Amino acid sequence: MKILIIGGNGTIGNKVTAELKKRHEVIVAGRKSGDVTVDLASEGSIEKMFQDVPNLDAVISIAGATKWGNFEDLTEEDFYISIRNKLMGQVNLVRIGQRYLKDNGSFTLTTGILGEDPVKGSVGASMVNGGIHSFVIAAARELKRELRINVVAPGLVEDAAERQGQLFPGHLPVTMKRTVSGYLRSVEGYVTGEVIRLY
């Protein structure tokens, strides 16, 4: 398969990229680095990315900025940071990308445990994660040409535990092997419309 991974150089992305490269052609996209660049907050940037990388069998998104902060301190604009990037960025990957993917292709989006088990300061991230879960379940019923869509929702991953563990008190890190397995299930398997929970 020819697979595009947005965020393929990140903490989770580099492990997913390394595994899929063993069997497939992988193109990495990022905001500032990669084989191609893309700004998830820009429809035009997403469209150009698909034009520059034709004939894709699968798209994986492991990207999308969110704004953290105490609920009482968050402004409307703070919420739009999360909405424009992680929520609508991933929705637009599917909305625009459905015209470019080959028949029987697949989309794999990424959220996380915060959609169901929020922590202090995560209300923006938790809100958009829940929205993406609902979007995937609904969109799976309407995509044409046998296109599939799933979302992988990891917990705190072990490679980020030292850096982010204090934000997730009491959470046991998820191994990178188990995290990667969720993406393999979505891309190389046959499921669609699933929230693949890894926690």
Side-chain angles (χ1 to χ4, degrees), residues 5-18 28-34 60-64 157 159-160 163-164 176 179-180 183:
I5 305 180
I6 297 105
N9 288 326
T11 302
I12 296 173
N14 63 44
K15 294 293 195 297
V16 174
T17 297
V28 172
R31 190 168 46 190
K32 296 180 180 177
S33 64
I60 302 172
S61 173
I62 315 175
V157 298
D159 283 9
R163 186 174 71 255
Q164 298 178 333
M176 298 311 294
T179 302
V180 170
Y183 292 90

Side-chain angles (χ1 to χ4, degrees), residues 4 6 38-50 59 61 63 80 82-101 107 109 131-132 135-136 139 143 149:
L4 174 68
I6 297 105
V38 64
D39 177 3
L40 283 185
S42 164
E43 289 183 62
S45 179
I46 293 170
E47 185 97 43
K48 184 177 186 305
M49 176 188 68
F50 282 117
V59 174
S61 173
Y80 283 130
S82 303
I83 292 168
R84 278 192 295 265
N85 285 274
K86 189 166 188 179
L87 176 59
M88 283 311 302
Q90 295 196 95
V91 168
N92 282 333
L93 279 176
V94 180
R95 187 178 63 82
I96 296 167
Q98 65 183 326
R99 303 194 303 269
Y100 291 92
L101 251 65
F107 294 97
L109 309 184
I132 293 165
F135 165 74
V136 164
L143 285 171
I149 182 171

Side-chain angles (χ1 to χ4, degrees), residues 78-138:
D78 289 333
F79 279 100
Y80 283 130
I81 291 171
S82 303
I83 292 168
R84 278 192 295 265
N85 285 274
K86 189 166 188 179
L87 176 59
M88 283 311 302
Q90 295 196 95
V91 168
N92 282 333
L93 279 176
V94 180
R95 187 178 63 82
I96 296 167
Q98 65 183 326
R99 303 194 303 269
Y100 291 92
L101 251 65
K102 291 162 67 174
D103 291 357
N104 303 297
S106 72
F107 294 97
T108 303
L109 309 184
T110 299
T111 56
I113 191 173
L114 299 176
E116 295 180 336
D117 189 2
V119 296
K120 183 175 174 58
S122 74
V123 65
S126 297
M127 176 187 72
V128 297
N129 282 359
I132 293 165
H133 292 177
S134 296
F135 165 74
V136 164
I137 293 166

